[in-house]
Amino acid sequence: MNMIKVQHVSKKYGQARGIEDVSFSVQPGEIIGLIGPNGAGKSTLIRILLSFIYPNSGEAQIDGLNCLREAKKMKQRVGYVPSEINYYDDMTVVELLRYSARFYKKDCEKQAAELAQRLELDMSKKITALSYGNKKKVAIVQALQHQPKVLILDEPTGGLDPLMQNIFFELLKQEKEKGTTILFSSHILCEVEKLCDRVAIIREGKLLKLETVEALRENTYKQIEVEFFEFPKTFDMPNHSNQQIIGNQITFLFSGDLNELLAYLGKYQLKNIRILEPSLDDIFLHYYERTALK
C-alpha cells in the first residue's frame, strides 16, 4: 500500500495559481524530495496533505486515510516540521513537548529526552529565550517524539548550523531504517541529493518529473567539459543545454548518443574532454530552462 497518495490534486487562490493536477505516490520507508524555488507550489501541496487547506479538485491520502475526510486520524500518524516556527513563548520546551504529546495520547517523555540530547536542546528554557535554530530543534523533537509513520518536512534545516544539519540527517536515516516514510521539501539541492530516494521537480504548480537521482543522471544527461586549442567560430551541436563558455572551454549538459557527440567534436582540434555525471543542480536547471521555453 502507498503511504502517501496524491491523485490529480489542484488548488487555486482566486485567480492565482497554487498547484495544478499533481499526482504521485510514496512507498513505506521511502524518502521523497520536493524541489523547486519559492512559489513553485511545494508548501501548498504540503498544506493540502496536512488538511490545513482544501484542494479544489483531486484527493490526497496518508496511510490509506483521506486527508480531508479523515484528517483527525491521519494527523495521529504524521510528524510535521514547518518552514516557519511559531510557539507559545511563555512555555518551556518540556512543557510545550508534553502539551504536544497529549494530542497523540502517548507517553513521549523518553523519546523526547533522547532527541533533545542528540540535538543539544535545553528543555528547561522558555521558548521566548530560544534562537531561531533552537526553535527549529524543538519542531524536530515535536515531530519525531510520537514516532510517526510519516514525516512531512517543509524546509526543515533553516536555522540549523552545519553540525546540527548532519545530526538531523542521521536522525532521518534512522527513521527510514525503521520504515518511516518521509516527504522532504527543500530548495537546497545538495540536501535532497544525499538524502532522498526520489526527487519530485515542481515548477509553477506542476510536477515536471518524479525520478531517482541516479536515473535522472544516468538515463538522461551527461555533463561535458571540452577544451579547444582554439574555440570554434560556430558551435551548434544538438541535444545540449546549460551551455557555459570560459575562454577556450565549454561546459554543457548533453542528452543523446555519446557516439554522435564524439563524432561531432571530432571535427575540431581538442585539447581535453571530460564526461561527468551531472549534479542535481545542473539537472534541476535544465528542467526549469526547458519548460520555460515551452
Side-chain angles (χ1 to χ4, degrees):
M1 183 179 72
N2 296 315
M3 191 56 68
I4 299 175
K5 189 174 183 180
V6 177
Q7 294 179 294
H8 304 292
V9 169
S10 296
K11 175 65 179 179
K12 287 189 176 181
Y13 301 96
Q15 297 299 314
R17 170 198 49 79
I19 56 175
E20 183 178 341
D21 195 28
V22 172
S23 297
F24 68 94
S25 60
V26 187
Q27 300 297 312
E30 188 176 22
I31 304 181
I32 294 286
L34 291 177
I35 62 174
N38 293 333
K42 304 187 302 296
S43 293
T44 295
L45 177 58
I46 284 173
R47 289 168 185 151
I48 288 171
L49 285 168
L50 293 168
S51 74
F52 294 162
I53 58 175
Y54 300 155
N56 295 116
S57 60
E59 181 180 85
Q61 296 180 0
I62 291 179
D63 197 17
L65 298 170
N66 184 280
C67 293
L68 180 58
R69 296 191 300 270
E70 301 171 282
K72 186 175 180 180
K73 286 184 180 179
M74 176 271 293
K75 289 178 181 178
Q76 297 287 322
R77 307 176 189 199
V78 175
Y80 171 53
V81 177
S83 57
E84 300 295 329
I85 308 298
N86 293 292
Y87 287 130
Y88 299 113
D89 286 345
D90 59 345
M91 278 186 167
T92 64
V93 173
V94 69
E95 287 171 344
L96 179 71
L97 294 173
R98 285 172 180 166
Y99 175 70
S100 174
R102 288 164 54 189
F103 290 96
Y104 305 103
K105 300 178 182 179
K106 292 178 67 174
D107 182 0
C108 303
E109 293 275 345
K110 182 179 178 182
Q111 179 75 354
E114 290 175 356
L115 289 165
Q117 185 176 20
R118 288 281 300 276
L119 293 168
E120 299 178 9
L121 174 64
D122 186 346
M123 296 175 68
S124 67
K125 285 191 173 182
K126 283 198 170 187
I127 299 297
T128 189
L130 298 180
S131 65
Y132 177 65
N134 280 318
K135 287 181 181 177
K136 187 58 71 82
K137 293 179 189 179
V138 175
I140 293 168
V141 176
Q142 183 182 21
L144 291 170
Q145 67 172 346
H146 61 292
Q147 299 178 304
K149 284 187 172 184
V150 175
L151 279 171
I152 296 179
L153 313 172
D154 192 1
E155 306 283 356
T157 59
L160 299 180
D161 64 43
L163 175 61
M164 282 298 118
Q165 288 180 20
N166 288 335
I167 292 172
F168 174 58
F169 292 150
E170 286 301 315
L171 286 172
L172 295 185
K173 289 175 184 176
Q174 291 169 12
E175 288 297 315
K176 174 181 168 61
E177 290 171 2
K178 293 190 293 186
T180 306
T181 302
I182 303 172
L183 186 67
F184 187 106
S185 165
S186 180
H187 63 272
I188 303 174
L189 301 185
C190 63
E191 294 182 350
V192 176
E193 189 167 16
K194 66 184 178 183
L195 188 67
C196 297
D197 299 306
R198 290 190 292 159
V199 176
I201 301 176
I202 297 179
R203 177 186 171 90
E204 295 181 353
K206 295 181 180 180
L207 184 62
L208 302 182
K209 192 76 173 178
L210 177 59
E211 189 60 273
T212 65
V213 175
E214 290 77 13
L216 283 172
R217 289 174 174 165
E218 295 173 5
N219 298 339
T220 315
Y221 307 103
K222 298 293 181 183
Q223 181 172 306
I224 312 298
E225 296 178 2
V226 181
E227 186 176 2
F228 301 91
F229 282 101
E230 183 177 349
F231 199 86
K233 293 180 179 179
T234 60
F235 189 84
D236 55 357
M237 188 189 70
N239 300 322
H240 81 287
S241 61
N242 290 55
Q243 176 178 299
Q244 295 183 351
I245 299 172
I246 301 176
N248 287 334
Q249 182 172 300
I250 183 170
T251 301
F252 54 88
L253 283 183
F254 177 78
S255 61
D257 188 333
L258 285 177
N259 293 301
E260 293 179 5
L261 168 69
L262 295 175
Y264 180 87
L265 293 175
K267 300 186 299 182
Y268 304 103
Q269 291 294 313
L270 305 183
K271 187 174 183 180
N272 195 14
I273 180 171
R274 299 176 68 199
I275 301 175
L276 307 169
E277 297 298 335
S279 70
L280 188 58
D281 299 72
D282 293 323
I283 295 169
F284 176 79
L285 288 171
H286 171 83
Y287 273 105
Y288 262 63
E289 288 182 0
R290 187 176 69 179
T291 55
L293 294 173
K294 290 183 178 180

